[in-house]
Amino acid sequence: MSDTPRAPTMSARRRRPSALTTSLSALTLLAAAPLATITAQTLNNGTCAKERIVVDGCDSTNIEKCRKNCALFGSTYLLDKCCKHTGINANLLAFEESETWIPRIEEYAKCTGANIRLQYVAGGEDDMGDALIEDVGKNEDETTGQGIYDAYIVQAPWLPPVFKGLKSLTQYIKDNDDSINFMDINQASRSAVSFDGEVRALPLDTDYIALGWRQDVFENEKVKNDYYATWGEMLKVPDTIEELVDVSEKLNGRHDYNNDGIKDWGFCLTPQTNYFQAFLAPVLQTHLNECEKQEDGGYKCLGADTGQNMFFDVDNFEPLIFNDGYRYAVELYSRFVMASNCQEQTFNGEKCDRKTAFPTGRCAGVISMPGTMTNLLREDGKYAPPPEKRMDSVLGEGEYWGRRKVFPGSRKVINWNKEGRPLEDCAGDVCPLAKNGINYAPFFAEGGESYALNGRQSKPAATDAMWDMFTWLSTLPVGEVPLAGTYRKSQLTDEAIDELAEQWNNTVMAQDLHDVLDEYFKSEEEGGNVVQDLFIIGFSQYNTELDLELHKNLILQDIEKGGLFNMKDASRSIDPVRNKKDFDERYNRFIESLVQRFDDVHEMQDGGALHQLQLWRGALDISPTKSKDEICQDLLATDHAGFNKLGCINVVDLKDLCQSQKSDVEEYAPDTCKEDNNSSTIVIIVLCSTVGAAILGGLAYYIYKRYVTYRRIRQAHEQLMEATLNESVRALHQLDYPLHLVRGDEFVEEGKLMRHEVLRNTHKLTVLDSLPDVDAFIAAGKHVLFFSHQWTSFTVPDPSNIQYEAMCAAMKELANQNGWDESLKDVFVWADYSSIPQANPSTQNLAIRSLAAYASSSTYFVIIAPDTPHADLDDTCDLGTYQRRMWCRAEQVCHSMRNGTEGMYLGVGKEAPLVPVQSDFFADSLHVFNGELTCCRLEHKGMGACDRQSLVMPLLGLYGELFRASHEAKGGNAEALASVDAFLNEIEKHQEEVFPRTFKRTMWRKNRKVTEDVMLFGDLIDRMKARISSGVGFAIDVEKTGTLSTKASDSFVRHGASDFLRHGVVHGSGVTHGSSSISDSGGVPIAMAVGTLEESPIALDM
């Protein structure tokens, strides 16, 4: 229940050590923890907590014990989950300690057998946002994130940068809504954790601004009489922000609430942006939907979105500060601060803080968030004034000194329907939700705590264990849940309030909370007008800048430095009413600076202000949704300044809009849509004729220079082609990036395809630095499986886990067929997501360049293509869609051109048998470049090249090796040679399709779609043939030595299948594993091919 300042310093990440660095060390210590051991850690001081709770073993057949351990606090959710998660480890990251975490984790473990490890971020709430980014990764790059934790305790402001990496809970909630009852959670909390129509966290609390007031002050007859005598009006608890400021000023410095002989203050606060925004909310937001007047004079507001909020305009993202309402709120808030504890604490050089001011008994009331409010008002609360500093003797029977109420509304609001949005009285259509002429708009600051699951790297078993724990906690009484507060409508029933009153031993406080939340929890359909916080990327930065300008540079800055506060005499600080001219000057400077700071924050975010606007509309659930193009087109018609400020000229093409928005385009840029004028053409012709003679005079010299340039370009082209040939050969026999493999047993234990960086950080990758290392590795009895599959999502390879399960089944079946060790410790897996770097594009490209070597070096090649729904498309991925993918075809060709098909298998499901691949399966595979590519489907937006171009080098090298084997093996094994020649003949028949000289590439340049012919192979295939036929051959600098782990071997056995030609340079020796014949002519060693193209003709799809 957060109540700390909203504006953490932007240098937090630089100032503190990485929270996850500390966490990783701590989790390493936990790795050896015994089964069903719960460890809680507190890393605020960088050390582990001493408390360790050892839980007994779990026995699901012991019905009595299961009922005893699982039916707790009246919840039945865990009754059918006894021992369900035995042996499952899961890591939970939190930012705030609670004494109830340990008992809840212990109870959950006793019931389910799960091992939940709780970790606190060393920097607490200030560092949790950064810690989430480090562990989950950013939205725009799914390859980032360390993936150490399976679940998190979060607050809504931290979610915008990472929500795409969090598990969508929408389906989980649907499946478990009998227990969760999601719609029972207040609307503001539900909205705070929903992004793009998906729920990304499960609320367990809510945060809002409320007003605390002291009944021993407001019901004190002496104070009331003095107040009336001085001001001629009755003292009353404020209902409006105007009254709140007025009463606070009139109480300030005139009464002694704690009997210490010193005159005390009005209301107290800690100057934070969320408390200012509580003043701003009822002035700026009057109704979220268009309203219709009813026969009874009331209003029904269920129409279209109004776009009202208190931060940014939803059409042009202009900050909502250029209106009288914003100034009105700043005036009232600054007066309120000056009449609070700040006048004295700031003057004394202390921090202005309600937590230190309220316990002194000198505050007539306080504004605060709910968690701290309870500690301010509750008897013996952490920040409550003790009895000797109160005036409880004035209270009647059943009365209590510390009260809570709805934050005041406003009698003045801006009129959104008038130009300039003027400030007007709250009445009629302007203020349809008003109560007694007052517009109430409770501000739900920050959103409260929620549970979230890691959606990228967490193992499914750990995810299920954490989800069950979170669901169970959501069914418990609020007092038994760590960090929870009242956040559900069902917690406002008479029975629930009675329970809370018993827990607090205070009926008045419980009833006050009910009255506040009964109003705050109203939905829009019920007439609610809750104000949502700024839940977009950059939340903390926007608040940092507002805090700096509003508090540090304006309200609490010394007059001599341009602020409002008089550090020599606080009573003489600038008042907006009495010192209007001075205030105006400083206010205008404040607005100018704030605009610039907000613009700077926009530019710091990816996509700038236009992207931020799109995010803000999504966060507010504005309908209809608009693309960036649509936003800009609307601005072109209505707001040229907004069009320019958002950089729309770089988004839309004005000429393309001439047909649909001709008048708008012409108004913005005259003559843009004007047709070419024939007279202009005539003028141009005349001018060209005039200068024609001069051009002819220089033509001879120009032709000569062009010829020289042509020769130079031709020479450079020849050098480039030769370099390409050399590089294609080199890349085939050396690894640009080491081969990374996952041991079979660990691959199965992970429970899903794990990202490369996660496996690297947990030391679960076997690294082979060179091809001799690979040979030695296999000669030592290790088996390398290359899994080839199609991704079934745009962001992760296998979100449904169907392909992963097929991989595990295939590996186990191969082990069974070949009599391998059942532990799978001699089996090593290559899978793209696990074996290729995902976070670093440079190293990723190096690995892709080595893909041909990876595929051709594996002992077994398994195609994984079960029927699997695509997570982002309305389509099913199967063997047919796999075979259409260019990368899938390329992997097959890279393996088969060097190894044949004996070690190639097809796996189409967990239950389906593993079948050998037949030669005719490669009918489509050979046409690699006719395959489908995502980059081409996206028309290469934001990309520099097409993936087709990255395959030229490896396939050119493979072809050269195959052609050389045929050319140099004349006189060798005739049958093997026939097999190679048949393969080459099939390629030569369709060379223009198999190795296209050019291809058509569609790209976007300066917002224009351009299709162009781009060279692919050109004449490289012919050059490779000519080079080999002339005897030049391959200029290969073979890796003759491995790393220290392989140098002990005198020779390496080249591994691979025996049903196809094993050809080319053998890494480390001339011996070919599986060979039945060696050339007698001293040429390239050739292995006997069991199946040839003649025996299994390839019917190429022409």
Side-chain angles (χ1 to χ4, degrees), residues 668-929:
Y668 177 79
D671 298 335
T672 300
C673 300
K674 195 173 183 180
E675 298 294 334
D676 292 337
N677 194 310
N678 289 335
S679 61
S680 299
T681 304
I682 295 172
V683 172
I684 293 173
I685 293 173
V686 172
L687 290 175
C688 289
S689 300
T690 304
V691 299
I695 294 175
L696 289 173
L699 184 59
Y701 179 75
Y702 173 75
I703 293 173
Y704 170 74
K705 294 294 292 183
R706 288 286 293 171
Y707 174 72
V708 172
T709 302
Y710 167 77
R711 290 292 301 271
R712 188 164 57 247
I713 293 175
R714 181 68 182 173
Q715 184 178 8
H717 176 74
E718 290 296 321
Q719 292 173 349
L720 176 61
M721 292 299 99
E722 288 302 305
T724 301
L725 292 173
N726 292 335
E727 178 62 17
S728 70
V729 175
R730 186 207 63 78
L732 192 64
H733 298 85
Q734 294 180 8
L735 294 179
D736 286 325
Y737 188 80
L739 176 64
H740 287 70
L741 304 170
V742 187
R743 203 172 69 192
D745 58 331
E746 294 183 334
F747 184 83
V748 173
E749 287 173 2
E750 290 297 335
K752 62 184 283 191
L753 282 175
M754 298 299 289
R755 194 159 61 90
H756 176 84
E757 287 73 17
V758 175
L759 294 172
R760 178 197 65 198
N761 294 345
T762 53
H763 310 293
K764 292 182 179 178
L765 287 174
T766 296
V767 182
L768 302 175
D769 294 295
S770 65
L771 289 173
D773 282 0
V774 179
D775 294 328
F777 189 69
I778 292 172
K782 309 301 181 185
H783 314 286
V784 178
L785 273 64
F786 187 104
F787 282 129
S788 177
H789 71 116
Q790 174 187 3
W791 280 38
T792 57
S793 162
F794 293 150
T795 55
V796 290
D798 182 32
S800 66
N801 241 30
I802 294 174
Q803 293 185 343
Y804 167 79
E805 291 174 354
M807 291 177 185
C808 293
M811 180 165 46
K812 292 174 182 177
E813 186 168 347
L814 277 175
N816 182 55
Q817 290 178 7
N818 292 286
W820 300 340
D821 187 344
E822 292 182 358
S823 70
L824 303 178
K825 291 185 177 180
D826 289 332
V827 181
F828 290 80
V829 168
W830 188 98
D832 53 4
Y833 191 59
S834 301
S835 301
I836 289 181
Q838 305 294 316
N840 187 319
S842 298
T843 54
Q844 185 180 69
N845 288 335
L846 289 175
I848 291 174
R849 285 176 55 172
S850 300
L851 187 61
Y854 296 157
S856 62
S857 297
S858 59
T859 47
Y860 293 88
F861 185 99
V862 183
I863 296 170
I864 300 296
D867 291 355
T868 309
H870 195 286
D872 301 308
L873 299 172
D874 186 19
D875 197 7
T876 297
C877 299
D878 53 20
L879 185 58
T881 61
Y882 165 89
Q883 191 67 335
R884 291 198 295 270
R885 299 296 297 168
M886 190 199 78
W887 281 109
C888 298
R889 295 183 180 190
E891 290 170 353
Q892 296 173 54
V893 169
C894 288
H895 182 85
S896 61
M897 285 180 74
R898 301 190 77 186
N899 299 279
T901 61
E902 181 182 342
M904 300 184 72
Y905 292 87
L906 179 62
V908 293
K910 183 171 67 172
E911 306 298 333
L914 193 67
V915 296
V917 169
Q918 301 300 316
S919 296
D920 58 2
F921 182 77
F922 297 103
D924 291 326
S925 303
L926 199 59
H927 293 72
V928 172
F929 294 95

